Amino acid sequence: MMTRRDFVQTTALATAGLMLGSTARADQTGFPVVRIPESQRKFKSAAVEKAIQEIQSSIGNKELAWMFGNCFPNTLDTTVDFQIVDGKPDTYVITGDIDAMWLRDSSSQVWPYLPLMKDDPQLQQMIAGVIYRQTKCILLDPYANAFYKDPNKISPWKTDFTDMKPGVHERKWEIDSLCFPIRLAHGYWAATGDTAPFDENWRQAILLVLKTFREQQRKDGKGPYHFQRTTRVQTDTVAGKGYGNPAKPVGLIFSMFRPSDDATVFPFLVPSNFFAVISLRQAVIMLEQVCHDEASAVECRLLANEVEDALKANAIVNPNGYGDIYAYEVDAYGNFYCIDDGNVPSLLSLPYIRAVQKPEKDDNKSEDWAPWNTYLNTRRFVLSKNDPYFCQGTAGEGPGGPHSGMGMLWPLGLIVEALTSTDDAEIKRCLKTLQTTHAGTGFMHESFNENDPKDFTRSWFAWANTIFGELILKVYKDRPELLS
């Protein structure tokens, strides 16, 4: 059976050919037209088009402006299936090169559009539809990572040794799959004040998230989830007869897979546990203020505090001269794995997901500074050659990860490096690398060879495209001179 990795590799060149086939004519800037024709676009947003026009007419770096015009609308152009179902918006968002909706990817693909909703009611309605659709997905199976639009569709992964259901594409348990929809819901509500998507179904989905997180603390046995796959790819199946490698139940949440859909080595995935803490606290606010469910809010708050305390006690290591750093994975028996991944959540991305932030008090002495200083030490480590997956080649340097293998640099990781940086030189270096490694396509890819940008994976990866647009907008707002 073809794996997701195999599928991506075999379709990358074909898709690239389709995209590059549209470059026969050039626009007035001299760059080829690679965005799909307007008549073929899945969803149109006046606010997104206005943002493209503003960037392209304002910044001096015309290649970055061209790339922004291709990448920022890519989710809307190619992946959105929007309709009204039973009087409510319903939005199915594919990841790109696979016709399935990942909870993580779909949340991230529309996230950069949130600030534009105030000027575009149709865009707001489309994103509300994502929230409604994600609620249905979680209620169908909180352990699944990817779903179909058709609730009766049977997955090619139906032979996986897990409890597969119709409508589920893949059932890899990843903590972040339940965190990203909460992040999107909270961001949508904060931006609009609209409470319509947060009905009783949504509340029940949040309670199911809480139940699932508690089950995967595994204080009373292994819990209901198990997963194995017949595969030649080691990271596509789970050790320990489908329950993962052993770990001590200390309050952290077990995660059998990473955001890359690769199996964990040690089951306490640190960045995802951090993400759970911030997501549970966002759920607390919404349960209190929108759902008026104080009892459930209390339970979410207690779990968030427990996981946070367990991270403080078990996630910090000091292995290699960088001082205290966060491990990527631990087992609470004293074993740990020090790497990072180009995906999100990652250790590098902790400020981006608002899990760790620089304290407002500038004294560097208060207890609040401890997690930030640990993050800074961790950042120095993961952006160094002591991280085995850090890339440093002739085409560029930056975060990689196990999913694509050694020497494969992730644009998504580079973008997160820039989004979490306060250093102009670092941000400019990241922008330059992104500009010089799109291999003539005008789009972001999943990863590329650190010495040869034309050797890339996934020519159609909407999340990477949209978050690139998010980066350009942030730099344009905060440091426009870097785009000159």
Side-chain angles (χ1 to χ4, degrees):
M1 182 178 291
M2 181 176 287
T3 68
R4 183 172 190 255
R5 189 190 306 265
D6 294 333
F7 180 89
V8 167
Q9 289 175 344
T10 55
T11 58
L13 290 177
T15 309
L18 289 173
M19 286 186 171
L20 292 174
S22 66
T23 65
R25 66 183 184 87
D27 64 15
Q28 63 270 25
T29 67
F31 293 101
V33 176
V34 294
R35 187 179 175 188
I36 67 170
E38 184 175 357
S39 61
Q40 298 176 24
R41 295 171 191 170
K42 301 288 187 181
F43 187 90
K44 300 173 185 177
S45 164
V48 169
E49 297 304 322
K50 182 179 179 182
I52 293 171
Q53 183 178 16
E54 180 176 351
I55 291 293
Q56 292 190 329
S57 64
S58 300
I59 70 173
N61 188 321
K62 296 306 177 185
E63 185 168 11
L64 285 177
W66 168 69
M67 293 168 63
F68 178 81
N70 302 328
C71 292
F72 189 53
N74 188 247
T75 285
L76 303 183
D77 287 354
T78 65
T79 70
V80 168
D81 183 348
F82 171 76
Q83 57 185 353
I84 301 296
V85 177
D86 297 328
K88 298 177 181 179
D90 181 90
T91 310
Y92 175 72
V93 184
I94 65 173
T95 182
D97 46 28
I98 302 175
D99 183 10
M101 178 169 169
W102 266 255
L103 294 177
R104 169 184 54 254
D105 292 46
S106 59
S107 301
S108 301
Q109 284 167 243
V110 300
W111 176 262
Y113 302 137
L114 294 185
L116 305 180
M117 292 186 299
K118 63 183 184 296
D119 299 320
D120 193 334
Q122 289 183 323
L123 183 64
Q124 178 178 331
Q125 189 179 45
M126 185 276 290
I127 295 176
V130 178
I131 296 170
Y132 278 112
R133 166 64 60 166
Q134 290 179 340
T135 297
K136 294 178 184 177
C137 292
I138 293 170
L139 291 174
L140 174 62
D141 187 351
Y143 283 106
N145 57 323
F147 300 81
Y148 294 121
K149 181 180 181 182
D150 181 356
N152 299 310
K153 185 173 180 178
I154 302 299
S155 171
W157 304 121
K158 64 182 181 294
T159 57
D160 286 347
F161 299 98
T162 190
D163 299 326
M164 288 292 288
K165 298 178 181 179
V168 170
H169 171 70
E170 192 173 49
R171 196 172 190 257
K172 289 182 171 180
W173 161 237
E174 303 159 359
I175 293 172
D176 68 276
S177 289
L178 298 183
C179 295
F180 273 106
I182 296 175
R183 179 183 189 239
L184 178 63
H186 183 267
Y188 172 91
W189 173 61
T192 66
D194 178 26
T195 61
F198 312 118
D199 54 14
E200 179 59 18
N201 285 337
W202 184 84
R203 190 182 74 88
Q204 289 298 325
I206 296 301
L207 297 186
L208 192 53
V209 171
L210 176 63
K211 177 176 181 288
T212 304
F213 283 169
R214 281 180 169 160
E215 287 174 348
Q216 289 307 309
Q217 288 181 299
R218 300 194 186 179
K219 294 179 179 180
D220 301 310
K222 294 180 179 179
Y225 178 81
H226 56 88
F227 182 99
Q228 288 178 294
R229 175 176 291 174
T230 302
T231 176
R232 63 191 177 94
V233 180
Q234 182 182 8
T235 53
D236 268 344
T237 192
V238 175
K241 297 182 179 180
Y243 291 95
N245 288 316
K248 185 187 296 185
V250 293
L252 293 171
I253 303 168
F254 286 67
S255 188
M256 293 300 94
F257 290 90
R258 302 167 181 158
S260 60
D261 299 337
D262 289 349
T264 51
V265 175
F266 300 118
F268 294 142
L269 182 56
V270 170
S272 290
N273 271 270
F274 268 108
F275 201 5
V277 172
I278 191 66
S279 298
L280 284 165
R281 288 176 176 160
Q282 289 173 337
V284 166
I285 297 170
M286 297 188 69
L287 286 168
E288 289 178 336
Q289 299 186 28
V290 179
C291 301
H292 308 293
D293 183 352
E294 181 63 36
S296 298
V298 168
E299 294 302 315
C300 286
R301 184 181 293 110
L302 288 172
L303 181 56
N305 292 344
E306 182 183 8
V307 175
E308 183 178 54
D309 289 343
L311 282 166
K312 291 176 181 177
N314 297 279
I316 299 171
V317 298
N318 192 336
N320 47 24
Y322 285 86
D324 286 348
I325 68 171
Y326 295 116
Y328 186 67
E329 295 171 358
V330 299
D331 65 0
Y333 284 114
N335 300 304
F336 53 86
Y337 192 21
C338 287
I339 63 164
D340 203 16
D341 200 349
N343 230 301
V344 177
S346 60
L347 294 172
L348 190 62
S349 73
L350 292 179
Y352 174 69
I353 61 174
R354 302 185 69 81
V356 175
Q357 297 185 70
K358 183 179 179 180
E360 293 182 4
K361 292 183 179 180
D362 199 20
D363 57 13
N364 202 14
K365 295 178 182 178
S366 67
E367 186 177 331
D368 293 340
W369 273 86
W372 180 251
N373 286 334
T374 303
Y375 169 74
L376 293 179
N377 291 343
T378 308
R379 184 184 182 92
R380 288 192 299 114
F381 164 72
V382 301
L383 296 176
S384 78
K385 292 300 288 184
N386 287 307
D387 172 3
Y389 291 101
F390 180 76
C391 297
Q392 197 169 34
T394 57
E397 65 175 57
H403 187 69
S404 298
M406 302 287 288
M408 296 297 285
L409 201 160
W410 279 61
L412 185 52
L414 271 172
I415 292 164
V416 168
E417 180 183 351
L419 283 169
T420 56
S421 176
T422 57
D423 181 85
D424 283 1
E426 182 179 23
I427 296 170
K428 194 165 187 176
R429 174 182 57 76
C430 292
L431 288 169
K432 182 177 180 181
T433 303
L434 293 165
Q435 179 180 341
T436 58
T437 56
H438 60 83
T441 67
F443 293 96
M444 296 293 102
H445 306 125
E446 178 189 58
S447 65
F448 62 87
N449 188 301
E450 63 185 11
N451 297 312
D452 181 10
K454 293 182 180 179
D455 176 15
F456 60 80
T457 60
R458 299 190 72 177
S459 57
W460 183 16
F461 185 23
W463 177 9
N465 286 325
T466 313
I467 196 174
F468 171 78
E470 181 180 358
L471 171 62
I472 296 299
L473 286 173
K474 184 177 188 296
V475 176
Y476 176 65
K477 176 183 176 182
D478 298 340
R479 293 175 166 85
E481 66 277 4
L482 300 185
L483 298 173
S484 62

